[in-house]
């Protein structure tokens, strides 16, 4: 039987990416009717821990959470931790439009960030951070989600919206965070069933 971890997200795209990155783990996501804690942290680490700690406590199980977003250099790092709520509508399309409209044609480099938090049933915790640099461009591609279509990566000569899920899982910010996570002592405890 695969070791089971609760992934504190209702975002199916994130869950699919995580399941692809951790094929030997049973990644269970939250039901849609679960009320998520308000993301009051001012860092990705703070928000990832807030989500993972809350559910580890109430469900008494191993919990993973991902807090992620886009930091645009010409916008002083915005939308950053407010990436999900950048536009008033809060949809992926409206968020992307707001980045492009706010930049108003100014070229800008940017960083895609993913912070993973792992919390054990007794509250032991670790966070890891993965980052990819790119530039903001007009939307291209139908793959991915969120800001992927407007995030162009030089080494790929494509936006994240133009790469297949397999390609994205080889080099994404989330892949880099998971790579570090599986090297941590707490991850080994999770696999061993110790805490
Ligand atoms: P949160 O981590 O659930 O708070 O979501 C952060 C925001 O960043 C949401 O608007 C997501 O759509 C976006 N986002 C998260 N991960 C990615 C990604 O891998 N690519 C593009 N956008 C993402």
């Amino acid at each position: 039987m695969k070791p089971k971890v609760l992934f504190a997200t209702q975002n199916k795209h994130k869950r699919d990416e995580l399941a692809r990155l951790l094929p030997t783990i049973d990644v269970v996501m939250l039901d849609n009717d679960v009320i998520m804690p308000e993301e009051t942290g001012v860092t990705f680490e703070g928000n990832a821990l807030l989500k993972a700690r809350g559910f580890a406590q109430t469900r008494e199980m191993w919990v993973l959470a991902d807090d992620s977003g886009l930091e645009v250099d010409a916008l002083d790092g915005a939308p950053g931790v407010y990436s999900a709520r950048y536009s008033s509508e809060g949809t992926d399309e409206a968020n992307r439009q707001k980045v492009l409209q706010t930049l108003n044609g100014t070229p800008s480099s940017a960083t895609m960030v993913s912070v993973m938090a792992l919390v054990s049933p007794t509250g032991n915790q670790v966070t890891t951070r993965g980052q990819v640099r790119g530039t903001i461009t007009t939307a291209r591609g139908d793959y991915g989600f969120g800001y992927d279509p407007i995030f162009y990566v030089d080494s790929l000569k494509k936006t994240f919206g133009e790469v297949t899920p397999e390609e994205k899982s080889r080099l994404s910010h989330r892949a880099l965070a998971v790579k570090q996570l599986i090297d941590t002592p707490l991850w080994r405890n999770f696999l061993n069933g110790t805490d």
Side-chain angles (χ1 to χ4, degrees):
M1 217 167 56
K2 293 179 176 183
K4 187 190 275 197
V5 71
L6 176 69
F7 188 29
T9 189
Q10 289 165 323
N11 182 326
K12 192 178 172 305
H13 297 284
K14 280 192 188 180
R15 199 217 76 103
D16 289 350
E17 288 193 8
L18 199 73
R20 188 179 294 281
L21 292 166
L22 295 170
T24 59
I25 307 297
D26 185 5
V27 178
V28 182
M29 78 185 248
L30 290 168
D31 289 335
N32 280 334
D33 58 0
V34 172
I35 296 170
M36 293 298 286
E38 204 186 330
E39 296 188 16
T40 52
V42 291
T43 61
F44 292 108
E45 280 78 4
N47 281 333
L49 279 171
L50 198 141
K51 290 184 264 190
R53 289 192 68 82
F55 289 106
Q57 212 167 34
T58 52
R59 310 249 176 143
E60 296 181 355
M61 62 187 293
W62 286 87
V63 179
L64 259 177
D66 162 297
D67 200 59
S68 40
L70 179 72
E71 295 179 332
V72 180
D73 296 351
L75 304 178
D76 295 327
V81 289
Y82 306 106
S83 290
R85 301 157 272 165
Y86 192 45
S87 62
S88 46
E89 298 92 326
T91 62
D92 285 355
E93 172 67 29
N95 288 341
R96 289 192 293 267
Q97 280 309 319
K98 182 160 178 193
V99 169
L100 296 175
Q101 273 163 13
T102 311
L103 278 173
N104 195 21
T106 307
S108 183
S109 46
T111 307
M112 198 73 96
V113 181
S114 162
V115 169
M116 302 286 320
L118 174 68
V119 177
S120 79
T122 61
N124 291 316
Q125 66 185 50
V126 69
T127 62
T128 58
R129 174 183 276 243
Q131 302 191 156
V132 173
R133 291 285 287 164
T135 51
I136 301 300
T137 183
T138 46
R140 294 211 308 254
D142 296 322
Y143 287 115
F145 68 103
Y147 296 94
D148 282 343
I150 64 167
F151 187 75
Y152 179 87
V153 180
D154 268 352
S155 60
L156 296 169
K157 298 201 174 356
K158 287 177 187 169
T159 68
F160 266 179
E162 293 174 302
V163 298
T164 62
E166 291 76 17
E167 278 179 286
K168 190 179 173 193
S169 73
R170 276 199 287 278
L171 44 77
S172 74
H173 46 310
R174 193 158 288 114
L176 295 172
V178 167
K179 209 180 225 172
Q180 292 171 51
L181 179 74
I182 62 180
D183 265 346
T184 62
L186 195 62
W187 183 260
R188 281 191 284 282
N189 288 357
F190 162 62
L191 292 182
N192 295 335
T194 55
D195 188 1

